[in-house]
Amino acid sequence: MGNKTDCLLYKDTALGSSDITNKDLRLSIELTLNGFSFSVDSMPQGLHLAVGSYTFRYGQASEQRLLAALVNVLETEPDISQLTFSTTHAMFLDTEFTMLPSELFSNEKASEYLGFTLGREIAPESASYDVVEKYGMTCVYRFPQSIVDYLSSRCAAFERRHSSSVFLSSAAPMSLGTSIHVNADFGFMQVVVFKDGMPVLVNVFDIKSPDDFSYYLLSACNQTGTDEKDAEFVFSGSPQEYIRQRNALARHFPRRKFAVRKHPELFSDALDFVAQYEYYNILNGL
């Protein structure tokens, strides 16, 4: 039995039973330099038994501090440390990625694409990439190797992706017109702009002040020639972020709605209170 950590955890009462601890479990986790969120799923159905999060409330952490917090939660949190995961699906969310058409992509040049975008040299072995087949796009990024090593050591099967490719794949744009899909949580905001069903902008922004939220959304509209009064905005992520932004949302973005769960049948009764648009990437994107 581990020690209680600062992790916020919502769980089904069945999570600690011997029936569950001996079952095939999947850990789905999204990491940022602001913290991480995760779900514990019973396989093969994918039933969500628990969701949790850990947040650095005083600014972004280093990759080393992120790893230390991750190890602390997975190894000592009482309801989590006793579990064995057969599969881990991990996502990393940061601003250091690039998205390009798959027809122009060569895996031998992945580090060059990323280095060009970031303006610095990237070691070839550091570059990872995801293919978003739905839109014929490839996302190139860097996933911290220390976290890959730790998570892959705790399971038989490990998969990594960048949150940008996950959010892009999970969005459901209108076939005609413009829709802007937003996923926001403490310290960051993902934005995907679709025109007639195809992505024209995919970006991630660091949110450091309350005004950043509207500023970056209006900037995304400006970059894509979009009238924010006419576009449909679809929001997902943390309810607290949208409560803080409610006046700005009403002032700038009249056509707005919240995303809904893709598979409501996969939520155990104990997790039914979680907002339908909350923990969006880990609960809807994998």
Side-chain angles (χ1 to χ4, degrees):
M1 184 67 69
N3 300 312
K4 186 66 179 173
T5 69
D6 292 329
C7 171
L8 177 64
L9 182 67
Y10 306 112
K11 65 185 180 69
D12 191 284
T13 55
L15 186 66
S17 70
S18 59
D19 289 341
I20 292 299
T21 55
N22 293 326
K23 278 191 175 180
D24 185 9
L25 297 178
R26 175 182 67 194
L27 174 67
S28 299
I29 186 164
E30 182 172 45
L31 302 114
T32 79
L33 295 181
N34 296 298
F36 54 89
S37 56
F38 61 91
S39 69
V40 176
D41 311 320
S42 177
M43 302 303 288
Q45 297 88 354
L47 178 67
H48 303 304
L49 298 176
V51 293
S53 60
Y54 182 97
T55 303
F56 298 110
R57 286 293 174 185
Y58 301 101
Q60 291 187 342
S62 64
E63 292 178 7
Q64 291 81 3
R65 189 178 172 206
L66 175 60
L67 175 62
L70 178 63
V71 171
N72 185 43
V73 169
L74 294 185
E75 303 294 346
T76 68
E77 177 67 31
D79 294 305
I80 302 299
S81 60
Q82 62 182 315
L83 303 177
T84 299
F85 302 105
S86 60
T87 304
T88 295
H89 287 176
M91 292 170 274
F92 192 64
L93 175 56
D94 69 347
T95 61
E96 297 193 342
F97 72 96
T98 189
M99 193 81 66
L100 66 158
S102 294
E103 62 184 11
L104 302 179
F105 176 78
S106 169
N107 56 6
E108 292 86 1
K109 297 182 178 181
S111 62
E112 296 179 26
Y113 303 135
L114 186 57
F116 179 80
T117 299
L118 302 181
R120 67 175 190 269
E121 187 173 346
I122 301 295
E125 64 273 15
S126 298
S128 299
Y129 64 90
D130 308 328
V131 177
V132 185
E133 294 183 0
K134 185 177 180 181
Y135 298 111
M137 304 290 288
T138 296
C139 178
V140 187
Y141 58 98
R142 192 186 67 84
F143 205 118
Q145 190 59 45
S146 60
I147 293 175
V148 171
D149 292 341
Y150 170 67
L151 289 175
S152 59
S153 72
R154 299 189 82 257
C155 61
F158 176 79
E159 177 185 342
R160 78 187 89 175
R161 296 185 70 187
H162 196 271
S163 294
S164 293
S165 61
V166 173
F167 190 50
L168 175 59
S169 299
S170 64
M174 301 182 298
S175 58
L176 295 175
T178 300
S179 60
I180 299 179
H181 298 250
V182 181
N183 181 41
D185 208 329
F186 180 78
F188 74 85
M189 179 171 66
Q190 292 182 270
V191 178
V192 180
V193 180
F194 291 94
K195 288 186 180 290
D196 297 334
M198 292 301 294
V200 296
L201 182 144
V202 181
N203 213 339
V204 176
F205 302 99
D206 287 330
I207 302 299
K208 298 179 180 178
S209 73
D211 292 339
D212 286 349
F213 187 95
S214 294
Y215 173 82
Y216 285 125
L217 275 185
L218 292 171
S219 176
C221 290
N222 184 60
Q223 289 180 56
T224 57
T226 300
D227 186 340
E228 68 273 12
K229 303 298 184 184
D230 295 332
E232 178 181 74
F233 287 80
V234 183
F235 294 110
S236 59
S238 168
Q240 289 76 20
E241 293 305 308
Y242 296 113
I243 290 172
R244 280 191 279 268
Q245 296 294 333
R246 61 184 179 275
N247 292 333
L249 293 177
R251 183 166 62 252
H252 295 295
F253 315 112
R255 295 185 58 202
R256 61 189 186 277
K257 65 180 183 180
F258 288 97
V260 297
R261 296 172 185 161
K262 286 190 170 184
H263 302 287
E265 73 279 3
L266 296 181
F267 285 73
S268 61
D269 292 341
L271 300 183
D272 194 53
F273 74 93
V274 174
Q276 296 205 16
Y277 52 88
E278 197 169 4
Y279 298 107
Y280 197 77
N281 285 340
I282 59 173
L283 296 179
N284 298 277
L286 295 173

